[in-house]
Amino acid sequence: DGDALVWGQGGGLSAFVAMRDATKESEVENLYGAMDDMMFKGIQYFCQLDHGILAYSCYPAAGNERFYDDNVWIGLDMVDWYMETKEMRYLTQAKVVWRYLIDHGWDETCGGGVHWKELNEHTTSKHSCSTGPTAVMGCKMYQATQEQEYLDWAIKCYDYMLDVLQDKSDHLFYDNVRPNKDDPNLPGDLEKNKYSYNSGQPLQAACLLYKITGEQKYLDEAYAIAESCHKKWFMPYRSKELNLTFNILAPGHAWFNTIMCRGFFELYSIDNDRKYIDDIEKSMIHAWSSSCHQGNNLLNDDDLRGGTTKTSWEILHQGALDGFFVVCLLLFGRLCSVSFWKGYSLTGSAGLSLDAVSVTTVSLTIAVGALSSVLTGSSLLVTVSFTTVSLTIAVALTSVRAVAASAEF
């Protein structure tokens, strides 16, 4: 029924970039690599010169609304895309977004921070949804280029989030702040709604700043934010499908929750503690195994528990959930390491059961409990095929398919 909004188009792009990363060095890498030009062309329709400024507009034409947060999500995808492929066109677009955020989005209204909207009427308030991801993008741009400017701005945006937009009682973040009535260059009244993505991005920024600087204060803050995010946006649940009790992602905005979980994933990459990752994985496996999963292979994204009825779906949310599955499968693949497999034989020990044997290939079905208590009782099957020199592990969730990990012997 018309063009997608750039927000939804960007959600689809994020899912693609995640798949692009997940399939590297797999037999389907070239399949997704062949889509690069199409995906890049699609998002570039939205990149418009308007009022002398180049940035991504809501629709693929000049003269319509334009938002800083829409741009920063695309900028994050571009720098990730560049890191995966080393193609300069993606870094070039990331720099276009960066200049838009810093040269036009940041000013001293409210004491700093990044605005939410540029066109057709510039906002005066400063928002977590634009300032937080700008901190993340600054970190990623620094990692990609080693240029100090990006790190300096990342710290500046992060500090603003903590100084102005954070609720110190729980380490979560408010939505936005308006200018002080007496002095617009000072913070004024706060809009105190809390949304999951507005806390997930400072969580990810804290993790990245810890990785870059090694300063413990960033990791300490990351742990505090993560604990409160988990407490607020997960809820106890008993899954009949998985025969498990766990904390499921609470009903709400699927895209918001996906962005929040980028922070959990970043934290996991530091400490390898599955405390939060377990609940995310179980949430997604339950969603696919329950009535949340529809016959058209889409998910009722507003409530991952199932039991709701939908007749239409948005690319924004489905793209977010697709990206969710990709990351969960990658994390699960890390369990299937070379060291794990060396601990077992083909005799059926520790949950291995011989399924079929041919001259060149052995197929095994691995009992879920042999891999991780996280998945005990689920219907997840892990199929392993190997020759004498290489091992490829594929994870299958009903009709979902993705290469999760590979190892050479």
Side-chain angles (χ1 to χ4, degrees):
D1 57 354
D3 297 314
L5 277 167
V6 74
W7 192 15
Q9 187 85 6
L13 178 64
S14 294
F16 170 75
V17 172
M19 283 298 297
R20 191 76 169 83
D21 183 44
T23 57
K24 287 178 69 175
E25 300 181 3
S26 77
E27 67 264 28
V28 293
E29 179 179 11
N30 291 338
L31 174 66
Y32 286 95
M35 299 179 188
D36 279 349
D37 288 343
M38 176 184 69
M39 296 300 296
F40 185 72
K41 182 179 179 181
I43 199 66
Q44 285 306 105
Y45 282 124
F46 295 85
C47 193
Q48 299 290 326
L49 186 65
D50 210 340
H51 289 66
I53 302 170
L54 186 64
Y56 291 89
S57 297
C58 285
Y59 291 100
N64 59 82
E65 293 183 320
R66 195 155 65 181
F67 293 81
Y68 293 104
D69 63 331
D70 286 345
N71 276 263
V72 72
W73 306 122
I74 295 170
L76 287 165
D77 289 332
M78 289 294 176
V79 69
D80 285 346
W81 211 349
Y82 168 73
M83 293 297 283
E84 292 165 13
T85 65
K86 301 304 180 184
E87 286 195 38
M88 284 303 299
R89 60 178 175 174
Y90 307 132
L91 184 59
T92 297
Q93 289 309 120
K95 289 180 176 180
V96 167
V97 170
W98 182 257
R99 293 268 55 94
Y100 177 64
L101 296 169
I102 299 306
D103 295 345
H104 306 284
W106 179 287
D107 62 25
E108 294 310 310
T109 306
C110 303
V114 180
H115 287 280
W116 176 51
K117 182 180 180 182
E118 178 212 0
L119 298 175
N120 288 311
E121 181 180 353
H122 210 285
T123 50
T124 57
S125 52
K126 299 300 178 64
H127 288 243
S128 290
C129 68
S130 47
T131 308
T134 300
V136 174
M137 187 177 177
C139 291
K140 288 176 174 279
M141 291 293 286
Y142 175 77
Q143 290 175 322
T145 67
Q146 296 299 301
E147 294 178 17
Q148 187 65 34
E149 174 200 358
Y150 297 118
L151 180 56
D152 291 344
W153 273 105
I155 294 171
K156 191 173 183 177
C157 290
Y158 175 82
D159 286 346
Y160 184 86
M161 292 292 294
L162 267 63
D163 293 343
V164 177
L165 289 163
Q166 188 180 50
D167 181 349
K168 298 302 182 182
S169 70
D170 61 6
H171 296 267
L172 300 179
F173 292 82
Y174 299 125
D175 186 66
N176 69 81
V177 61
R178 293 180 286 277
N180 184 284
K181 294 177 181 177
D182 297 322
D183 184 351
N185 286 339
L186 294 176
D189 294 335
L190 288 159
E191 173 52 65
K192 293 191 174 183
N193 288 333
K194 294 175 181 176
Y195 302 106
S196 56
Y197 73 142
N198 284 341
S199 292
Q201 283 294 276
L203 168 56
Q204 187 177 11
C207 293
L208 289 168
L209 287 169
Y210 172 74
K211 288 181 177 180
I212 293 167
T213 69
E215 293 187 38
Q216 186 65 33
K217 66 178 183 180
Y218 295 119
L219 186 57
D220 291 342
E221 187 61 40
Y223 281 127
I225 298 170
E227 183 178 1
S228 289
C229 282
H230 187 259
K231 182 178 180 180
K232 184 172 179 62
W233 286 295
F234 289 75
M235 60 184 293
Y237 184 68
R238 177 68 185 176
S239 168
K240 295 184 297 182
E241 288 78 6
L242 304 186
N243 192 29
L244 286 172
T245 299
F246 60 96
N247 294 302
I248 196 169
L249 275 163
H253 199 285
W255 185 87
F256 285 2
N257 289 340
T258 299
I259 298 297
M260 173 184 65
C261 288
R262 291 180 182 181
F264 288 123
F265 298 144
E266 203 72 61
L267 183 59
Y268 175 74
S269 74
I270 294 171
D271 65 8
N272 291 310
D273 186 341
R274 296 185 60 85
K275 177 180 179 181
Y276 304 121
I277 299 302
D278 285 353
D279 282 338
I280 296 170
E281 284 187 342
K282 291 172 187 176
S283 294
M284 299 313 297
I285 295 168
H286 168 81
W288 194 261
S289 305
S290 72
S291 62
C292 180
H293 176 204
Q294 302 300 295
N296 56 9
N297 275 341
L298 299 179
L299 296 177
N300 286 358
D301 47 75
D302 50 349
D303 190 342
L304 298 183
R305 297 173 299 177
T308 61
T309 301
K310 288 179 77 77
T311 58
S312 63
W313 294 264
E314 295 182 36
I315 186 174
L316 175 70
H317 299 300
Q318 297 304 310
L321 293 172
D322 181 63
F324 237 154
F325 274 118
V326 172
V327 176
C328 287
L329 288 167
L330 283 172
L331 292 175
F332 182 81
R334 290 180 185 142
L335 295 172
C336 307
S337 61
V338 175
S339 60
F340 173 85
W341 293 108
K342 285 182 177 177
Y344 302 101
S345 66
L346 303 183
T347 62
S349 63
L352 297 182
S353 58
L354 198 59
D355 211 31
V357 181
S358 69
V359 175
T360 58
T361 303
V362 178
S363 294
L364 303 173
T365 299
I366 294 118
V368 170
L371 290 178
S372 172
S373 60
V374 174
L375 300 168
T376 300
S378 79
S379 58
L380 182 66
L381 295 179
V382 179
T383 301
V384 181
S385 300
F386 63 91
T387 64
T388 57
V389 294
S390 67
L391 170 67
T392 300
I393 301 164
V395 177
L397 282 168
T398 314
S399 62
V400 173
R401 59 191 184 279
V403 173
S406 63
E408 295 292 324
F409 290 91

